[in-house]
Amino acid sequence: MDLLLEGLTGVFQLNVLLILLMGIIAGITIGSLPGLTATMGVALILPVTFGMEPVTGILLLIGVYFGAVYGGSITAILINTPGTPSSAATAIDGYAMSKKGLAHKALTVSTVSSAIGGILSVIVLIFIAPQLATFALKFSAPETFALAVFGISIISSIAGKSMVKGLIAGFIGLLIATIGIDPIGGFPRFTFDNVNLSSGINLIPVMIGLFAASEAFRAMGSIFSTRKLTIVVEKVKLKWIEFKILIGTILRSGAIGTFIGMIPGAGGDIAAFVAYNEAKRFSKNKDGFGKGEMKGVAAPEAANNGVTGGAMIPLLTLGIPGDAVTAVLLGALMVQGIQPGPMLFENNGPIVYTLFVGMLVANLMILIVGLFGIRLFTKILLVPTTVLTPIILVLCVVGAYSLGNNYFDVLVMLISGIAGYFLMRYGFPASPIILGIILGPLMESNFRRALVMSQGSFDIFITRPITVVLLILAVITLFSPLLTRKVKKPTTEGES
Amino acid sequence: MKKFLSAVTLSVLALTIGGCGASSGASSDDASNFPEKSIEIIVPAAAGGGTDATARALANEAEDVFGQSIGVLNKTGGSGSVGMSEGANAKADGYKVTMVFVELTMFKHLGLSPLTYDQFKPIGMINFDPAALTVAADAPYDTLEEFIAYAKDHPGEVSVGNSGTGSIWHIAAASLEKAAGIKVNHVPHEGAAPAVTALVGGHIDAVTVSPAEVKTQLEAGNVKTLAVMADTRSDIIPDVPTFAEAGVEINPTGTWRGLTVPKDTPDDVVAKLEEGFMKAAEDEDFAEFMKTNGLGIELKSSEEFEAYMKQNEQDFGEIIGELGLN
């Protein structure tokens, strides 16, 4: 407790708070722009922190990281353009809410859920990090494979109106994921001697194309139509009673995010989809999902911000970075003379607790900045389509290019955009494709790595408890929507 | 919205300016005034990694030496071959420098890209980090000799993690097999950090990654490093013997990074670049930065670097062939 108090005094200094706020605002901006990821934001701001005090410097980076994870949801909700892969799941119901004129409410839900999810994960980090870290280490190739299979099974619940079309979309994603050097054998697949294809198709340009560019192409089609399609932004506030309905979803999703965040190799994108799926599973109004259900916004947002605290668990307690952002943070900590690992709490106790308090404050700042910013953010929707559409397309190109300064990514984005336009037109959902691209490589490489480790024996998948539990969950998830659909069919047929 | 618009405007502006800068540079044939404008370093890796960090820190120091600004451009894709190809095909005036790394000498053998080291003219090598054999702290062997004896008793059973099939750490493990006459089970991971995590979690028996990549776990007492694949001991873990000291003759194997320019760059320009960048690399601030980031400094002149890359390409060709990856 003393250390927490010490942390409080460390954070509540004007310069520290200001730097943290700057980090959050920079992060939100970076996160909301497609193509600029949290990792890139943190890496680019890293050199600035070298000259700073350790705590201030690290908190600036944490601000950018947390802000970017939240920021992705703003554009996902308003213009169906997830700023980062973590917000791909948010776009499903968030954009549907915007189309109904509920953008204001959707942003409120996402802001509140992000902050609560983030705070929950930091509390877990503060109190039970070492115990959880030991558990996270148990995750090896077979466990991660099972988690990926579980993730894939979610396709059945984000399939949209037609299960068959959802599954086809999922398989398209998995097929795209096979492009590139095979992760275990090193054999080039579908690369056609093009070096750009050798490391596979990058997820982010595909995501920008499928979500944002295709939407822009669609908008172009109706730009000159006399029928005016203006979205009304009603200032519908989130009511207390609605919040009470959401809180269960938010807490559950935050916990899912924290759990997935601490597993090396799995991050915000997967967590958001898993939380979305669980929210749907627990909901009585399953048919509302995909059509603008508040829980469909709350779940992924609470989960992807929950990942932030979760990812810090193995980083701080074991010195193990679970993803690219935490790898950059590890470097930042070491430059400041802070060595993460089991000795961290003994050697740098006061600094660690100051960071903990700073993380809590960062999440509160997201809440405040987010809630104040909503009025500003929703102004995007007042921009006429004739102006907004070209801007979005420019953003798509700039975003895809800025990823790796590689024109090939722009090409991938444009092709995905055109493909996405036709897929959308014929009722194929985009999110299963994204899920397939995210999880395909994770599933394949871990499956094969597990077999390398077991020297070819499949026993490795049935003799490890975590693996078995996750695989059973996957089977249940895959078949439960099919079964409920069968049962409910007579009632739902009328509306679709 | 304003923020949005201004961000868009800024990005467009940046692109335009970048585009103009690339196309409008008038070059002078006289090298005595070199450099007359800003230099760009192409980094064929993403922002945030070791290659990027090395390039940015070096650029920072070299700006003072050259009296010109030095920009760093991350150009990713194809395990680095996309950025390197662009560097090799850039205008040969010395204003576009490419940071190359060990994979350059492996692309051809792995069938990844026809790009080879001789499409460049080297400026110099900056960094080298050797492979180090690291095992779990509670493993039944404490020395390289005991490890080899154990591996001989359990052929094909000892699992050695690397950072990906055909990666330099995979090659390192294969060189170890060859030098020690053992057979191990290679387990590829997506990078060195996941491999180290798997070692700490007890899922594999050893890793052959750089000392910097295991340093945290070494200090935490979770792992022990048995030997380093270099001619000299590592500054990061001075207590650990080299392979030769531990009784196994092996070619020094590890990752390196250096600077190059297109093949047709005039020799006097290369000489100026070599002088300037070497001076920058000898700066104390740079040394300090590399040390805190666990990156080793090893300088090689243009000539030495060329010979070194040639040797690497030969050695790797043999090993990659034996692994059946070509």
Side-chain angles (χ1 to χ4, degrees), chain B residues 40-56:
Chain B
E40 185 175 66
I41 302 182
I42 298 176
V43 174
T51 307
D52 180 63
T54 308
R56 283 178 197 275

Side-chain angles (χ1 to χ4, degrees), chain A residues 50 75 137-138 140 181 184 195-196 198-199 318 320 339-340 342 380 395 398 404-406 445 449 452-453 455, chain B residues 1 3-5 11 73-76 78 82 112 156 165 185-188 190 197 203 216-217 219-220 289:
Chain A
F50 291 160
T75 32
L137 269 186
K138 291 212 173 85
S140 178
I181 302 284
I184 304 294
V195 286
N196 284 299
S198 67
S199 45
L318 302 168
I320 287 173
Q339 178 75 57
I380 292 181
L395 258 181
V398 173
N405 296 312
N406 190 343
S445 65
R449 187 174 305 122
V452 169
M453 288 163 75
Q455 316 244 5
Chain B
M1 190 60 220
K3 201 177 284 166
F4 227 86
L5 273 179
S11 337
L73 178 78
N74 300 89
K75 203 168 184 76
T76 57
V82 172
L112 284 179
T165 298
N185 184 17
H186 297 282
V187 186
E190 269 96 43
T197 305
H203 307 296
T216 316
Q217 301 308 325
E219 280 168 8
F289 175 85

Side-chain angles (χ1 to χ4, degrees), chain B residues 7-92:
Chain B
V8 176
T9 328
L10 265 181
S11 337
V12 174
L13 258 180
L15 270 181
T16 327
I17 296 170
C20 294
S23 55
S24 68
S27 77
S28 139
D29 290 325
D30 184 13
S32 61
N33 296 325
F34 183 89
E36 288 175 313
K37 54 173 177 142
S38 61
I39 299 174
E40 185 175 66
I41 302 182
I42 298 176
V43 174
T51 307
D52 180 63
T54 308
R56 283 178 197 275
L58 188 67
N60 206 10
E61 298 305 328
E63 280 186 345
D64 298 337
V65 178
F66 289 115
Q68 289 287 354
S69 66
I70 299 182
V72 171
L73 178 78
N74 300 89
K75 203 168 184 76
T76 57
S79 317
S81 56
V82 172
M84 288 187 211
S85 295
E86 176 167 309
N89 296 320
K91 196 170 178 192

Side-chain angles (χ1 to χ4, degrees), chain B residues 53-137:
Chain B
T54 308
R56 283 178 197 275
L58 188 67
N60 206 10
E61 298 305 328
E63 280 186 345
D64 298 337
V65 178
F66 289 115
Q68 289 287 354
S69 66
I70 299 182
V72 171
L73 178 78
N74 300 89
K75 203 168 184 76
T76 57
S79 317
S81 56
V82 172
M84 288 187 211
S85 295
E86 176 167 309
N89 296 320
K91 196 170 178 192
D93 58 3
Y95 290 100
K96 249 196 186 147
V97 173
T98 311
M99 177 153 268
V100 297
F101 32 84
V102 65
E103 276 75 11
L104 175 62
T105 54
M106 297 158 60
F107 288 144
K108 195 180 74 179
H109 303 306
L110 292 169
L112 284 179
S113 158
L115 193 71
T116 56
Y117 75 94
D118 49 20
Q119 282 165 268
F120 293 98
K121 195 170 268 181
I123 295 172
M125 188 170 102
I126 306 293
N127 143 273
F128 176 77
D129 286 306
L133 179 67
T134 304
V135 298

